[in-house]
Amino acid sequence: MTEPAPRIFLGRDASWAERVRVYRTDEALEVAYINTFEVSLRRLFFDEVQLVTLHRARGSRTLWLLIALSALCALGTLVARSAPVLFFNFVTVTAVVFAWTLVTALIRSSVVTAYGARARARIRFLYRPRKARRVYDDLCRRAGEVQGRIAAEAAAAAAASARQLEETLPEPPVL
C-alpha cells in the first residue's frame, strides 16, 4: 500500500457562508470548502495554475460587524444617560468597541489567491505579510517548475517527432 502524499497546511479564509482551508501536496493545492453541513475538497494541480496573486484587502465582514456593534453601544450609551453608573459603563464599552473598530479598519490583510481552470485557492493572512509573500513565492515557483517541465517535455517530443518525420521523408530528386 502506498503512503498518501504529505499535506502541508498553508492557511485559511472565511466568508459569510463558508470556511476555506488550503493544503499543499507535491503536485497540487487541496482546497477544502466547508459550508454549514457540507465539506467539499477540490484539487488545483500546479500544471493547471493560470494566475497567482498577492494583494492587500481590508476585512470587510469583521469591520461591518464591529460598526454595527459600535452603533448598538452608542445607542445604549444614549439610552443610559439618565443613570450615571450605567452611563459610565456604556461609555467605557463604547470607547473600547470604537477603538477596536478603528484598528480593524486600519489593518489590511494579505490575500494570496491561485486561480485554475476549475478551482480557486485563496488564503488570507491577517497579521503576517511576510508569510503571505513566502507562500506566494513558493506557489509561483512550484507552478513555474511544473509547467516548465511540461513545456520542456512537449518541446522534446515535438523535436523528436520532427526528426522522425525528416528521416521518413524520401530524399528530393536531384535534377
Side-chain angles (χ1 to χ4, degrees):
M1 191 165 133
T2 62
E3 282 285 322
R7 293 187 341 162
I8 298 169
F9 178 72
L10 291 181
R12 71 183 105 233
D13 189 21
S15 66
W16 287 102
E18 71 181 356
R19 307 288 178 256
V20 179
R21 307 239 188 280
V22 180
Y23 302 91
R24 188 192 73 219
T25 62
D26 291 337
E27 67 271 349
L29 292 174
E30 292 183 356
V31 185
Y33 296 99
I34 305 163
N35 291 331
T36 310
F37 299 108
E38 186 178 329
V39 176
S40 64
L41 183 69
R42 291 193 173 198
R43 285 196 175 137
L44 175 59
F45 289 96
F46 289 122
D47 61 342
E48 295 178 352
V49 171
Q50 297 173 349
L51 176 69
V52 180
T53 64
L54 171 65
H55 64 278
R56 306 276 289 175
R58 300 205 190 280
S60 61
R61 183 186 62 202
T62 306
L63 187 59
W64 283 111
L65 288 174
L66 285 173
I67 289 171
L69 184 61
S70 297
L72 286 175
C73 288
L75 184 65
T77 303
L78 291 176
V79 170
R81 246 191 307 180
S82 60
V85 174
L86 194 58
F87 178 73
F88 178 72
N89 289 339
F90 267 105
V91 166
T92 306
V93 170
T94 304
V96 169
V97 171
F98 273 131
W100 187 15
T101 304
L102 183 62
V103 167
T104 302
L106 294 176
I107 293 175
R108 296 187 329 171
S109 59
S110 298
V111 181
V112 176
T113 309
Y115 296 93
R118 296 176 300 229
R120 176 184 73 175
R122 73 179 180 272
I123 310 165
R124 184 176 303 270
F125 298 94
L126 186 58
Y127 300 112
R128 300 171 298 183
R130 284 191 205 118
K131 183 173 181 184
R133 173 57 76 173
R134 280 196 313 267
V135 168
Y136 170 76
D137 290 340
D138 182 53
L139 292 180
C140 289
R141 182 183 53 78
R142 286 179 185 272
E145 286 174 357
V146 170
Q147 292 177 5
R149 188 172 356 118
I150 290 172
E153 290 171 1
S161 103
R163 253 185 274 117
Q164 185 181 16
L165 184 62
E166 269 182 15
E167 292 171 359
T168 58
L169 288 177
E171 291 290 324
V174 178
L175 296 176

